[in-house]
Amino acid sequence: MRGFRPALLSALTFLAALALENRAVRAADAAAATPIGKRVASVALPDHHGRDVSLSDFQEKKVLVLVFLGTECPLAKSYALRLNELAKEYESQGVAFLGIDSNLQDSLSDIAAFVKAHDLAFPLLKDLGNKLADTLGAQRTPEAFLLDGERVVRYWGRIDDQYGFKTGAGYVKPKLNERSLALAIDDVLAGRPVAKPMTKADGCLIGRVKHEPHGEVTYSNQIARIFNDRCVSCHRPGEIAPFAMTSYDEVQGWAEMIGEVVADGRMPPWFADPHFGNFKNDPRVTDDERKMIATWIANGCPEGDKSQLPAPREFAEGWQIGQPDQIVYMQDEPFQVPAEGTVEYQFFTVDPGWTEDKWVQASECRPSNRSVVHHIIVFPRREGDDDMGGRGGLAGYAPGTPPHVNPPGTAVFVPAGSKLVFQLHYTPNGSPQKDRSAVAIKFEDPKNVKWRVATIGASNAAFAIPPHADNYPVESQQKFGSDIQLLSLFPHMHLRGKAFHYEAIYPDGTKEVLLDVPHYDFNWQNSFIFEKMKTLPKGTTLHCLAHFDNSEHNLANPNPDETVKWGDQTWEEMMIGWYDMAVPVEASLAEAVPERANRRRNRDGETRQKQEAKPEAKPADGDAE
């Protein structure tokens, strides 16, 4: 972790130690209360109708599976369909499933909505005061406990190994390798000891009841202000985040989970080294804010005086860029997103009807269903352009990414006749969904444009990542033939992406790190927007260095046994150092980035040669000459 200042290192060391200490305490408590071999007494819990359901109601069943769920937990949603399938698979063999919701923040109406949305094939009960969770030592959702005919716990852990958490977001392995819960059920039904009685369950921490809140740091006076500034842009109704952070009642149930991801630096999602570059969209909490959140949680999450609450943060309704000049939808009908599995990248080509050149001042992508849209990239394409937009991106969307608004006097040039290509990455969330995404565009009068903005990628498609390589380097670079203004950086890799580094090598040989992302995560497609346009003089080389982890230690790795090459889909890879640059409107973009222009000319020449080499087509029988 090169470049850390002593004061910051000290603060982060304190926070890391606090997080490790909390984890150690939780681990010690869990070890002391390991439920394997423990007999569970019957309890009665209400279902979403308010009717009590008792464990003794299932006394004739050979096996009873208790699965702790949360109505807003992404992993619990992902596993809902699979739990339904397991319940139906084993029903005829004397196995019953019960869902348990111990979350403080989940009401009976929330539970009813979850049951309906996922068409649960088994009851979901409310564990008031998290008493059953405390008895069993349940920590997360989803987390399973298998009870035999004597109601003794024989298995504790995950459902299977396909879904999990990585840096705060979910990952999906391309195939299921171990049906952990099903294997345990098979062992118990066969009268065998469970081969693997405990596995690690990923998921959301259960929101437990808080006892004796105390202290001067309160939600009303301090914490709500931090969350307003750092979190609620995504954590509010209708946005991408899985739960809202706009009220005390909601937040207190998620407090431990919030504390964990903030202490680990997983939230807010910003994985750049803070010592390089000044970016105006940096959402990170400060060290003092981290300490304050940790103190508030350790003190039981006191609410404080409600009169001290800050005013709710206001967000613009509708399009964030204001009234657009044109709205273009990806297609006429919504795309059907399945309940589970991996969805290949979807591409939709639309003709916006641009019969004349356009200058785009602002653009904004909007999913109609944010719960399943991982990211959107919209790029113009004309005949002969490459698949990834020979003229660079026009608009993009990812969780937390602001609309693309060019500075005054700057705009993106799109030639007449261009079509718009939508690239969409969908992530199923446990129930069938629909999406019809769109892009809104504001045009600029050409006479007002002083700077031409272009999105260009310093890419390398000639790599082959060996199997099991855990730190494989790939480089790319571009040399500028004239002065340019650098506006933003956007590193792009797929699931094996590990780190990404941008460096400017100036004509005099000096070097400057522009951006260092030591822990790249495909789940968060961050754009890094400079506070001010940065001048790179003629002769500067933009050098990019990416590292890939194709080993089994990368939990999101689709297949560590494969040699990985360039490709559009997530199980393939890309290495692109995207950047937004600006040149004077009268200047030549080809002169500014001559290497890119040469590649285009070479590609166009190759295309012409292939076309000229084709034999003249003869009409088929029955065709007119």
Side-chain angles (χ1 to χ4, degrees):
M1 300 175 71
R2 65 185 187 282
F4 267 53
R5 298 185 181 93
L8 180 58
L9 180 59
S10 176
L12 291 180
T13 301
F14 166 79
L15 290 166
L18 179 62
L20 291 171
E21 180 181 352
N22 290 339
R23 286 180 179 176
V25 170
R26 288 199 300 269
D29 290 345
T34 296
I36 301 300
K38 181 176 183 177
R39 188 184 302 275
V40 180
S42 180
V43 295
L45 304 174
D47 65 11
H48 64 279
H49 296 296
R51 298 188 295 250
D52 279 352
V53 176
S54 174
L55 301 190
S56 62
D57 296 340
F58 302 88
Q59 59 185 357
E60 78 283 359
K61 298 294 182 180
K62 299 176 184 177
V63 171
L64 184 60
V65 178
L66 306 180
V67 182
F68 286 82
L69 299 171
T71 65
E72 295 172 308
C73 178
L75 246 59
K77 293 178 180 180
S78 295
Y79 271 111
L81 179 60
R82 189 152 300 175
L83 287 168
N84 277 344
E85 294 170 348
L86 283 170
K88 293 173 183 177
E89 177 184 350
Y90 285 99
E91 183 178 17
S92 62
Q93 300 181 56
V95 179
F97 278 68
L98 281 178
I100 311 294
D101 189 321
S102 303
N103 281 336
L104 169 67
Q105 67 271 27
D106 290 347
S107 67
L108 288 179
S109 60
D110 293 331
I111 292 173
F114 185 91
V115 169
K116 181 178 180 181
H118 299 283
D119 193 22
L120 282 193
F122 50 87
L124 179 55
L125 313 180
K126 177 65 176 177
D127 177 23
L128 294 168
N130 48 262
K131 294 179 181 177
L132 183 56
D134 290 347
T135 297
L136 288 170
Q139 297 294 320
R140 297 183 183 267
T141 63
E143 189 173 355
F145 293 79
L146 188 156
L147 283 57
D148 66 12
E150 302 298 321
R151 298 304 177 252
V152 173
V153 178
R154 298 302 181 191
Y155 172 80
W156 171 32
R158 68 191 181 196
I159 297 160
D160 58 48
D161 69 345
Q162 189 165 20
Y163 298 99
F165 270 160
K166 179 190 177 190
T167 57
Y171 66 82
V172 184
K173 292 183 179 179
K175 64 179 181 178
L176 190 161
N177 295 314
E178 182 182 286
R179 301 177 75 213
S180 308
L181 177 57
L183 290 173
I185 294 174
D186 291 340
D187 284 341
V188 172
L189 289 175
R192 301 186 297 263
V194 175
K196 191 181 290 186
M198 290 191 295
T199 58
K200 179 182 179 294
D202 275 342
C204 308
L205 287 170
I206 292 171
R208 285 177 152 79
V209 173
K210 309 300 184 291
H211 299 288
E212 300 181 3
H214 63 281
E216 296 180 357
V217 178
T218 68
Y219 173 80
S220 297
N221 193 28
Q222 293 101 342
I223 302 302
R225 287 174 171 77
I226 298 173
F227 292 166
N228 271 4
D229 291 342
R230 310 295 186 185
C231 309
V232 299
S233 58
C234 291
H235 285 269
R236 57 190 171 99
E239 290 299 319
I240 184 67
F243 61 92
M245 295 176 66
T246 52
S247 72
Y248 174 73
D249 289 340
E250 183 75 12
V251 166
Q252 66 167 331
W254 283 99
E256 286 79 10
M257 193 74 215
I258 293 169
E260 180 178 276
V261 298
V262 169
D264 288 349
R266 289 149 55 188
M267 288 286 160
W270 185 267
F271 306 110
D273 188 322
H275 303 100
F276 305 110
N278 294 313
F279 304 102
K280 65 182 180 182
N281 60 326
D282 186 344
R284 289 171 300 166
V285 297
T286 66
D287 299 326
D288 287 342
E289 288 169 341
R290 282 193 184 94
K291 291 179 182 178
M292 199 173 294
I293 292 170
T295 298
W296 177 67
I297 295 169
N299 290 346
C301 306
E303 182 177 12
D305 184 353
K306 292 182 180 180
S307 68
Q308 296 178 327
L309 279 171
R313 185 172 169 186
E314 294 184 0
F315 295 92
E317 295 296 328
W319 296 102
Q320 308 298 299
I321 61 173
Q323 182 60 39
D325 296 315
Q326 186 175 358
I327 300 173
V328 181
Y329 288 88
M330 68 186 201
Q331 62 178 9
D332 292 336
E333 300 297 326
F335 178 75
Q336 308 288 328
V337 183
E340 66 172 354
T342 301
V343 180
E344 295 185 3
Y345 276 18
Q346 299 297 308
F347 292 88
F348 307 91
T349 301
V350 184
D351 186 352
W354 295 345
T355 57
E356 59 184 16
D357 294 344
K358 297 289 187 182
W359 288 94
V360 176
Q361 191 276 326
S363 58
E364 178 181 354
C365 291
R366 178 188 288 179
S368 70
N369 187 344
R370 295 175 186 267
S371 69
V372 291
V373 177
H374 178 275
H375 76 256
I376 307 170
I377 298 175
V378 177
F379 49 88
R381 184 166 67 186
R382 292 195 304 172
E383 189 76 24
D385 283 346
D386 56 49
D387 288 341
M388 197 57 193
R391 303 186 181 277
L394 181 68
Y397 163 84
T401 299
H404 189 89
V405 180
N406 291 300
T410 69
V412 176
F413 175 74
V414 183
S418 295
K419 295 182 180 180
L420 296 183
V421 179
F422 286 73
Q423 180 203 79
L424 282 110
H425 181 200
Y426 290 107
T427 53
N429 67 0
S431 61
Q433 301 287 326
K434 298 178 182 180
D435 173 70
R436 185 174 178 238
S437 293
V439 62
I441 298 167
K442 292 182 74 172
F443 300 115
E444 184 60 272
D445 189 325
K447 67 176 182 290
N448 297 328
V449 180
K450 307 301 181 186
W451 294 83
R452 175 179 175 176
V453 175
T455 301
I456 299 176
S459 62
N460 182 346
F463 57 80
I465 306 171
H468 307 288
D470 64 359
N471 198 37
Y472 187 79
V474 179
E475 297 179 87
S476 66
Q477 64 180 32
Q478 286 181 350
K479 188 173 183 178
F480 300 112
S482 62
D483 293 356
I484 68 132
Q485 300 296 321
L486 196 62
L487 281 69
S488 66
L489 303 171
F490 187 100
H492 182 70
M493 300 181 284
H494 291 172
L495 294 172
R496 296 171 177 87
K498 180 178 181 179
F500 207 101
H501 186 87
Y502 286 84
E503 185 176 57
I505 305 174
Y506 293 108
D508 64 0
T510 60
K511 299 179 180 181
E512 180 185 6
V513 177
L514 302 174
L515 172 68
D516 186 48
V517 182
H519 304 292
Y520 177 87
D521 186 349
F522 179 68
N523 287 295
W524 305 105
Q525 298 287 312
N526 289 112
S527 178
F528 300 87
I529 305 170
F530 288 102
E531 285 280 0
K532 297 179 181 179
M533 291 196 296
K534 185 175 184 64
T535 300
L536 298 185
K538 177 182 177 179
T540 300
T541 296
L542 181 67
H543 177 257
C544 300
L545 173 62
H547 284 89
F548 295 88
D549 184 355
N550 192 27
S551 74
E552 59 278 8
H553 302 297
N554 176 2
L555 298 178
N557 190 352
N559 186 350
D561 297 322
E562 287 188 346
T563 297
V564 185
K565 298 182 179 181
W566 178 280
D568 283 336
Q569 300 301 331
T570 56
W571 56 85
E572 299 166 316
E573 269 303 336
M574 284 187 174
M575 187 282 181
I576 310 177
W578 290 112
Y579 58 95
D580 282 348
M581 57 168 279
V583 295
V585 70
E586 67 276 5
S588 166
L589 189 60
E591 180 181 341
V593 194
E595 295 173 12
R596 177 175 179 269
N598 290 336
R599 284 198 300 271
R600 179 178 298 283
R601 282 193 291 270
N602 291 337
R603 187 181 65 242
D604 292 345
E606 290 171 1
T607 301
R608 282 195 299 272
Q609 289 175 5
K610 290 178 182 178
Q611 290 173 342
E612 291 168 358
K614 287 182 180 178
E616 184 177 348
K618 296 181 178 180
D621 291 343
D623 285 352
E625 290 284 352

